[in-house]
């Protein structure tokens, strides 16, 4: 259908649109919504091509609208399976029409990769609150996105566990009281390995994350520490801090999700088990705190938490993140697109694991830098970087993988 039809809004409920509802963040978000049905209502869902999961979600949560971004999947959708009162919103502007509807209160931006920018941009332009799980939005266009939110009265609330932890620790403190923020990271499945150890790792090995269950792209990013690099860039714009005041420390238990150090020497941290439902819930119910489905720490089972410095030699992706955070401009769009394309080639068996940061470095070094790009120029950078990575050949001989 072309028209998004209104229905009477239930008083006391926050109407939520979940972009990328069939992914890891989206399914966790709907679990939170289901547990807090007296406070939250899923009124819109979007998916790219996973129609079976989307239909099951629609039948359970009975949203007013669903949007499908893959035209071929949209044509295959059996509309007879949609619950009564649920509309299919189709066309190239389907997501924009759904997130800008006046009855929508919160938009969860959980589409993976650069594709998530469009929905976030449309929601902020309409002055909505956006629970942003799509870090690429700020990596690609941080200054433009933050300026848009300020001009249009929109608000960004972080869903990444690290940025949510910082946001929570900052509550009630003036911005000029902050000395630094420290992002924690698990270290991924290859923590403690050397570069020699990583020369022959397979996609299956890279996808075995020790503490988090995530989609394949972000899991590989965690293995290369590119995920932490992107989080440094995201934090730089989200909290308006220069990169020299953003640090990273490895914390394999993934219980302390980040620290804020204040100028008086006090340090505040946010702790919880590695369960994305907690930061999702905080963004959806902010500023309230209510009982929800997230797991709790069992204090009787705690023994010790460990910390170590990141290994920049073995995992050079992290330095790429700091460089991009310092330079700004077109660098974020280039790094993000190059990494997405390189990870895709790695998962397809076409690149070695260590080639991912090499390809990103090569494309970043060869692009035409602009310090103040427009959104259209950033989109062009995204396309160019992907094409360059597709053409890129490793300077090292490939290793044949057996699995």
């Amino acid at each position: 259908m072309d028209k998004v039809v209104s229905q009477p809004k239930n008083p006391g409920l926050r109407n939520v649109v979940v972009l990328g509802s069939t992914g890891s963040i989206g399914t966790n978000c709907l679990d939170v919504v289901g547990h807090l049905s007296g406070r939250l209502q899923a009124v819109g869902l979007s998916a790219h091509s996973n129609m079976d999961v989307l239909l099951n979600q629609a039948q359970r949560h009975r949203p007013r609208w669903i949007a499908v971004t893959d035209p071929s999947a949209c044509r295959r959708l059996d509309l007879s399976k949609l619950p009564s009162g649920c509309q299919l919103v189709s066309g190239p502007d389907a997501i924009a029409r759904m997130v800008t509807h006046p009855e929508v209160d919160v938009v969860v931006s959980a589409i993976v990769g650069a594709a998530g920018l469009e929905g976030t941009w449309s929601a902020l332009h309409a002055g909505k609150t956006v629970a942003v799980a799509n870090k690429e939005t700020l990596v690609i266009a941080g200054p433009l996105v933050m300026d848009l939110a300020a001009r249009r009265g929109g608000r960004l609330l972080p869903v990444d566990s690290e940025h949510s932890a910082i946001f929570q620790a900052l509550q009630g403190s003036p911005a000029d009281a902050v000395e630094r923020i420290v992002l924690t990271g698990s270290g991924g499945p290859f923590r403690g390995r050397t570069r020699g150890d990583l020369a022959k790792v397979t996609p299956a090995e890279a996808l075995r994350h020790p503490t988090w269950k995530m989609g394949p792209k972000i899991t590989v990013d965690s293995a290369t520490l590119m995920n932490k690099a992107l989080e440094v860039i995201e934090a730089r714009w989200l909290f308006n801090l220069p990169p020299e005041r953003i640090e990273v420390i490895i914390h394999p238990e993934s219980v302390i999700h980040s620290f804020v150090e204040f100028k008086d020497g006090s340090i505040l941290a946010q702790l919880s088990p590695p369960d994305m439902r907690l930061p999702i819930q905080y963004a959806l119910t902010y500023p309230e705190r209510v009982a929800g489905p997230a797991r709790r720490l069992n204090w009787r089972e705690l023994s010790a938490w460990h910390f170590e410095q990141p290994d920049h030699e073995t995992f050079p992706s992290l330095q790429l993140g700091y460089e991009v955070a310092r330079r700004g401009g077109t660098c974020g769009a280039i790094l993000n697109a190059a990494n997405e394309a390189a990870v895709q080639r790695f998962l397809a068996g076409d690149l070695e694991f260590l080639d991912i940061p090499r390809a990103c470095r090569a494309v970043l070094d060869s692009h035409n830098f602009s310090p103040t790009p427009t959104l259209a120029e950033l989109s062009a950078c995204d396309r160019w970087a992907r094409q360059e990575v597709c053409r890129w050949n490793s300077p090292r001989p490939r290793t044949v993988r057996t699995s």
Side-chain angles (χ1 to χ4, degrees), residues 184-189 191 209-212 222 228 249-254:
T184 58
S186 69
R191 181 178 63 88
H209 196 281
T211 54
W212 292 98
S222 179
K228 211 52 52 180
I249 194 165
I250 302 303
H251 167 52
E253 290 85 3
S254 298

Side-chain angles (χ1 to χ4, degrees), residues 4 30 38 43 81 122 179 211 220 231 277 346 364 401:
V4 178
L30 289 177
V43 296
K81 294 184 178 180
S122 297
E179 182 71 23
T211 54
V220 173
E231 288 173 6
R277 291 174 296 180
F346 167 68
L364 189 63
R401 290 193 287 258

Side-chain angles (χ1 to χ4, degrees), residues 17 35-36 38 46 57 82 114 182 201 224 233 288 294 340 362 371 387:
V17 167
H35 277 83
L36 300 180
S46 88
Q57 291 176 340
L82 290 179
V182 182
V201 300
T224 62
I233 304 168
E288 296 181 70
E340 286 188 21
Q387 292 167 357

Side-chain angles (χ1 to χ4, degrees), residues 175 178-181 235-243 245-246:
V178 176
E179 182 71 23
R180 80 186 83 247
I181 61 176
R236 186 262 177 274
W237 302 116
L238 188 61
F239 302 112
N240 192 29
L241 286 172
R245 292 170 61 191
I246 304 170

Side-chain angles (χ1 to χ4, degrees), residues 5-307:
V5 178
S6 299
Q7 296 179 8
K9 181 178 178 180
N10 295 333
L13 288 180
R14 289 185 181 177
N15 285 340
V16 181
V17 167
V18 185
L19 304 180
S21 67
T22 61
S24 174
I25 294 294
T27 53
N28 276 301
C29 178
L30 289 177
D31 189 43
V32 171
V33 170
H35 277 83
L36 300 180
S37 57
R39 294 172 176 269
L40 304 170
Q41 177 175 249
V43 296
L45 308 176
S46 88
H48 183 61
S49 59
N50 196 339
M51 295 301 94
D52 290 340
V53 174
L54 180 63
L55 285 172
N56 287 336
Q57 291 176 340
Q59 290 161 3
R60 178 182 177 187
H61 294 277
R62 307 184 70 83
R64 301 178 193 177
W65 322 294
I66 63 167
V68 180
T69 57
D70 182 344
S72 61
C74 189
R75 289 190 292 270
R76 296 194 306 269
L77 183 65
D78 185 354
L79 295 178
S80 67
K81 294 184 178 180
L82 290 179
S84 176
C86 180
Q87 302 173 268
L88 170 65
V89 186
S90 59
D93 63 342
I95 285 179
R97 287 184 287 124
M98 190 166 62
V99 301
T100 59
H101 194 280
E103 294 178 10
V104 171
D105 299 309
V106 183
V107 175
V108 179
S109 177
I111 295 174
V112 176
L117 175 57
E118 180 182 356
T120 305
W121 188 272
S122 297
L124 290 175
H125 194 271
K128 303 295 185 182
T129 293
V130 177
V132 60
N134 172 270
K135 62 175 62 65
E136 292 84 358
T137 290
L138 288 165
V139 170
I140 295 168
L144 296 178
V145 169
M146 298 307 292
D147 175 70
L148 176 69
R151 287 188 291 107
R152 302 294 298 185
R155 181 167 59 177
L156 282 167
L157 298 178
V159 167
D160 267 353
S161 60
E162 297 83 358
H163 300 82
S164 175
I166 294 165
F167 180 67
Q168 293 180 58
L170 288 174
Q171 296 305 301
S173 299
D176 61 3
V178 176
E179 182 71 23
R180 80 186 83 247
I181 61 176
V182 182
L183 302 170
T184 58
S186 69
F190 304 135
R191 181 178 63 88
R193 305 275 191 97
T194 66
R195 286 186 69 79
D197 296 332
L198 301 183
K200 298 180 181 181
V201 300
T202 66
E205 290 172 314
L207 292 173
R208 295 187 193 123
H209 196 281
T211 54
W212 292 98
K213 184 178 180 181
M214 306 174 290
K217 191 268 180 184
I218 191 173
T219 305
V220 173
D221 283 351
S222 179
T224 62
L225 291 197
M226 183 63 79
N227 192 46
K228 211 52 52 180
L230 300 180
E231 288 173 6
V232 168
I233 304 168
E234 180 183 9
R236 186 262 177 274
W237 302 116
L238 188 61
F239 302 112
N240 192 29
L241 286 172
E244 58 268 21
R245 292 170 61 191
I246 304 170
E247 297 186 12
V248 171
I249 194 165
I250 302 303
H251 167 52
E253 290 85 3
S254 298
V255 171
I256 302 175
H257 297 294
S258 280
F259 301 90
V260 176
E261 181 180 346
F262 294 92
K263 289 184 176 178
D264 64 357
S266 296
I267 299 173
L268 296 184
Q270 186 266 328
L271 287 69
S272 62
D275 186 337
M276 283 305 300
R277 291 174 296 180
L278 184 59
I280 290 169
Q281 178 178 313
Y282 189 69
L284 292 179
T285 63
Y286 176 80
E288 296 181 70
R289 292 187 183 272
V290 297
R295 290 182 290 140
R296 304 293 184 96
L297 279 180
N298 187 333
W299 293 94
R300 295 183 178 182
E301 294 181 355
L302 297 182
S303 56
W305 293 320
H306 302 87
F307 303 94

